[in-house]
Amino acid sequence: MSAAPLRIALAGMGTVGGGTVQLLSEQAELLAARAGRPLRLVACAALARPADLPLGDVPFYTDARTMAREAEYDVLVELIGGSGGVALDVVTIALERGRHVVTANKAMIAHNGIRLAELAEKAGVSIGFEASVGGGIPIIKSLREGLAGNRVTKLMGILNGTCNYILTTMRESGRDFGDVLAEAQALGYAEADPTFDIDGIDTAHKLAILASLAFAQPVGIDSVACEGIRHVSALDINYADELGYRIKLLGVASLTDAGVETRVYPAMVPLSFPLAHVDGVFNAMVTEGDFVGRTVLEGRGAGARPTASAVVADLMDLARGRHTPTFGVPVDRLVARPAAPGGAHRSAYYIRLMVRDEPGVFADVAAALRDEHVSMEKVIQRGRAPSETVPVVMTVHETDEASMLRAVARIAALPSMAEPPRMIRIEDL
Amino acid sequence: MSAAPLRIALAGMGTVGGGTVQLLSEQAELLAARAGRPLRLVACAALARPADLPLGDVPFYTDARTMAREAEYDVLVELIGGSGGVALDVVTIALERGRHVVTANKAMIAHNGIRLAELAEKAGVSIGFEASVGGGIPIIKSLREGLAGNRVTKLMGILNGTCNYILTTMRESGRDFGDVLAEAQALGYAEADPTFDIDGIDTAHKLAILASLAFAQPVGIDSVACEGIRHVSALDINYADELGYRIKLLGVASLTDAGVETRVYPAMVPLSFPLAHVDGVFNAMVTEGDFVGRTVLEGRGAGARPTASAVVADLMDLARGRHTPTFGVPVDRLVARPAAPGGAHRSAYYIRLMVRDEPGVFADVAAALRDEHVSMEKVIQRGRAPSETVPVVMTVHETDEASMLRAVARIAALPSMAEPPRMIRIEDL
């Protein structure tokens, strides 16, 4: 192997950083054979030197900015995290020095990706961010390269392993959200502050990145409508099962006549749906392309080793001299599209009411739906408990969101409602 | 767009050739934006000029060899088919002239891939064959690039849309094999001579290619053990349903201590298995990598438009200057491994016996299993019909194939057997 090594500077030595060092060390020979040249770690930076990693005598920096500025490397791998701060600084320094960048940082790409892509273009270098979405699944490579002959009109994914783990465990155990979240935190599957995951923000970052790649548009993180899973109850999961659905937190992006829709929300999906059986910490993405039709990619969405696999895939591309514009086309070819107005979105819905079991309640509910032209599909009202609070569950046929919200507002105002109605979209392709 | 166009010569204008011409024409602007240069069809060849394709004034050849030899192009796209003959000739000519090749021809890659890879290396050009496996699904890109940081130890796929369509239709309609095959032929989903598909040969070609990529070994088409779906009956599909399985024709490759196993066979897979819900003409591949864990890729495995999507993905890589060795590493780095001996393969099994309903039959069957140390899991024997032929269905726990075959041979020799026993592997990951 006589070709010059690809010199790697690694910033951030947490879970993913550690996995990446392990992979580069364990598979060194394999990687060199596949890349035609060795991949060599030449510098690393973290707040403290980790004792348990095979770092050998690789120069270590406690200040990642100093490493980015002073070390000699071909590619900087940023695994610090956060949309700005040190992560953004080291990436900016590397690009301005004309060095490639590989990152797992979805927040940074979602918020600053376009600016960084411009810097990369100016310097004639690449930004790899396969690890930012879907862990080890080659989602970004598929969108940027594998489906490059297609106009993608819709994509949809389970993009957050924490939420999918919580929803899967709720279903399997029958336990409620708070209980399962606490357990996930104890097991290390959820952060101490779980907001980013469970409120859908992490999914929104990833969705904005995927929509940009798929539709060749600037990353529109601010126009992603975002709803998390805090309000999904064991009761709803149970009814979903009974109706033949699974509840999943989806990120959905589609090109419609009214503009681009990018939305994150918990949805019921039928068992025949390709995402229905993606459980636990697995992630998956469904894409609709005009030539290829539907493709589905599934795999582990997080964790040291899967994410390291994605980081190294990007490094292998650089080692082989394989380059692609950051968002599939040069920045000046990205076309901003208007966001579709929310109310026009059409979908079927599940609605759960908690009502006092009195005569005539259901007639009032049915009238509210009729008045807003919402057409009922199924009703489940089990048993009777006069004067007590009982659940009434309905599904309605596809309708526009504005009508649905008006109907639900009418229903919420009925005197027999004991709690605000719960509404979950039913998603199909 | 000032960069020089990628000049394409297209040999073969059947279904996939037509789809490719359509894609290049319809998406010309999109492709140019993504590739940074136009993709231009500069020559095409077929037995007769197709009237319905947007070929404009592109020079047309009735002899593909002449085109390969005389036209000026950067890449030859071979869509003629067949492991040798004209297809192999035109590809060889193109490589010897130092031109890139893109092909959808699995038989040619399976039988002559190594020799062609050597030619390509000598000439410093690339061979793209994404379209040869899994239609539009970016399977080969994922193995060669997306999972390049992994040692892949096992892969498994539903790789033939015709077989999957037949098995799915048999299950949904309850009809038998011959009947559904005849219908598939009438609908154009199966060839007039369906041998290649239903006897597993097409799957074997694709599996040999994938195993070569995954394990960095020469394509071992001759060591693929191959069993098709002719013997799968409606009765077995029905029992599979009852036991919680689906029957799928699988191609399975794994690295074991005893060597490489590459096998094609119909198998029962549990409903929780990632391939259980891949129905109709869809294909899918499951890969196990040492860092990434399990990934699943699914999509349309055939058809003009999905296959054209894969052909164009390869063309886009060439247009962008993205090159990868044919089988992931240079030919001299491929390592031939011994094929694992068949009898050592371990698996659980389903067995269906057709027996005359006489006292003591089951004791004889149980004794045969016990004598070969095969451990029974479940038995289904429904109803009684003294002296008539009735099915007895069993599943047995994981055992080695040699023991299983000996036990089944003993059972087959019992006087009460009305038909030879049927045996189907039960596959899990």
Side-chain angles (χ1 to χ4, degrees), chain A residues 1 19 22-23 26-27 29-35 136-138 141-152 213-214 216 271 274 277 282 290-300 304-306 308-310 312-313 316-317 320-325 328-330 333, chain B residues 1 19 22-23 26-27 29-35 136-138 141-152 213-214 216 271 274 277 282 290-300 304-306 308-310 312-313 316-317 320-325 328-330 333:
Chain A
M1 192 70 50
Q22 289 286 359
L23 202 168
E26 280 177 36
Q27 321 269 56
E29 201 184 331
L30 182 78
L31 299 179
R34 290 181 178 164
I137 317 166
K141 182 172 275 289
S142 292
L143 277 177
R144 288 205 298 192
E145 303 169 29
L147 305 182
N150 292 267
R151 261 174 232 282
V152 173
L213 287 165
L271 293 185
H277 304 274
F282 277 76
D290 57 353
F291 273 78
V292 76
R294 179 186 304 170
T295 53
V296 187
L297 284 78
E298 181 186 340
R300 293 189 173 273
R305 292 170 67 93
S309 170
V312 172
M316 292 292 280
D317 276 350
R320 272 250 156 238
R322 290 188 294 247
H323 302 293
T324 306
V329 294
R333 304 290 302 242
Chain B
M1 193 71 47
Q22 290 288 359
L23 201 167
E26 282 178 33
Q27 321 270 54
E29 201 184 331
L30 182 78
L31 299 178
R34 289 180 180 166
I137 318 168
K141 182 172 275 288
S142 293
L143 277 178
R144 287 204 299 192
E145 304 170 29
L147 305 183
N150 292 266
R151 261 174 233 284
V152 173
L213 287 165
L271 293 185
H277 304 274
F282 276 76
D290 58 351
F291 272 79
V292 75
R294 179 186 304 171
T295 53
V296 187
L297 283 77
E298 181 186 341
R300 292 187 175 275
R305 293 168 67 91
S309 171
V312 173
M316 292 292 280
D317 275 351
R320 273 253 155 236
R322 289 188 294 245
H323 302 293
T324 307
V329 295
R333 304 290 301 240

Side-chain angles (χ1 to χ4, degrees), chain B residues 170-184:
Chain B
M170 285 175 70
R171 177 175 168 268
E172 287 172 352
S173 67
R175 285 150 61 204
D176 230 320
F177 175 76
D179 188 21
V180 173
L181 171 61
E183 185 192 78

Side-chain angles (χ1 to χ4, degrees), chain B residues 401-425:
Chain B
E401 187 171 35
S403 304
M404 192 63 208
L405 289 173
R406 284 194 302 269
V408 167
R410 279 178 189 248
I411 292 169
L414 294 173
S416 48
M417 292 298 131
E419 292 179 16
R422 288 292 306 145
M423 185 175 110
I424 299 178
R425 282 187 196 84

Side-chain angles (χ1 to χ4, degrees), chain B residues 164-397:
Chain B
N164 207 42
Y165 171 83
I166 291 173
L167 292 172
T168 303
T169 306
M170 285 175 70
R171 177 175 168 268
E172 287 172 352
S173 67
R175 285 150 61 204
D176 230 320
F177 175 76
D179 188 21
V180 173
L181 171 61
E183 185 192 78
Q185 288 172 314
L187 291 168
Y189 293 163
E191 307 279 340
D193 176 0
T195 308
F196 251 56
D197 291 319
I198 66 176
D199 289 340
I201 301 163
D202 175 76
T203 301
H205 286 150
K206 293 166 176 169
L207 182 68
I209 294 171
L210 295 180
S212 172
L213 287 165
F215 308 148
Q217 63 183 21
V219 187
I221 182 65
D222 296 330
S223 53
V224 181
C226 193
E227 183 191 337
I229 63 167
R230 282 183 203 266
H231 295 291
V232 176
S233 70
L235 195 58
D236 294 322
I237 288 184
N238 211 24
Y239 276 115
D241 250 24
E242 184 175 341
L243 291 162
Y245 296 111
R246 293 278 188 277
I247 299 182
K248 298 290 180 190
L249 182 69
L250 300 182
V252 182
S254 46
L255 278 185
T256 72
D257 293 339
V260 181
E261 279 188 8
T262 44
R263 298 183 151 220
V264 177
Y265 51 85
M268 293 198 181
V269 297
L271 293 185
S272 59
F273 197 77
L275 298 177
H277 304 274
V278 175
D279 281 333
V281 298
F282 276 76
N283 279 197
M285 180 185 70
V286 182
T287 317
E288 295 280 346
D290 58 351
F291 272 79
V292 75
R294 179 186 304 171
T295 53
V296 187
L297 283 77
E298 181 186 341
R300 292 187 175 275
R305 293 168 67 91
T307 312
S309 171
V311 168
V312 173
D314 281 342
L315 291 172
M316 292 292 280
D317 275 351
L318 294 173
R320 273 253 155 236
R322 289 188 294 245
H323 302 293
T324 307
T326 308
F327 294 101
V329 295
V331 171
D332 65 7
R333 304 290 301 240
L334 296 172
V335 178
R337 291 184 182 79
H345 180 83
R346 292 185 67 80
S347 159
Y349 288 88
Y350 156 98
I351 317 161
R352 175 171 56 79
L353 312 176
M354 299 301 289
V355 302
R356 272 180 299 281
D357 194 0
E358 294 162 353
V361 171
F362 195 72
D364 294 341
V365 170
L369 293 172
R370 178 205 58 207
D371 291 351
E372 297 299 344
H373 309 289
V374 175
S375 149
M376 214 173 334
E377 191 208 7
K378 268 187 208 165
V379 182
I380 305 179
Q381 182 177 12
R382 197 164 293 113
R384 301 298 312 272
S387 312
E388 289 183 31
T389 298
V390 294
V392 174
V393 159
M394 292 174 293
T395 56
V396 303
H397 290 289

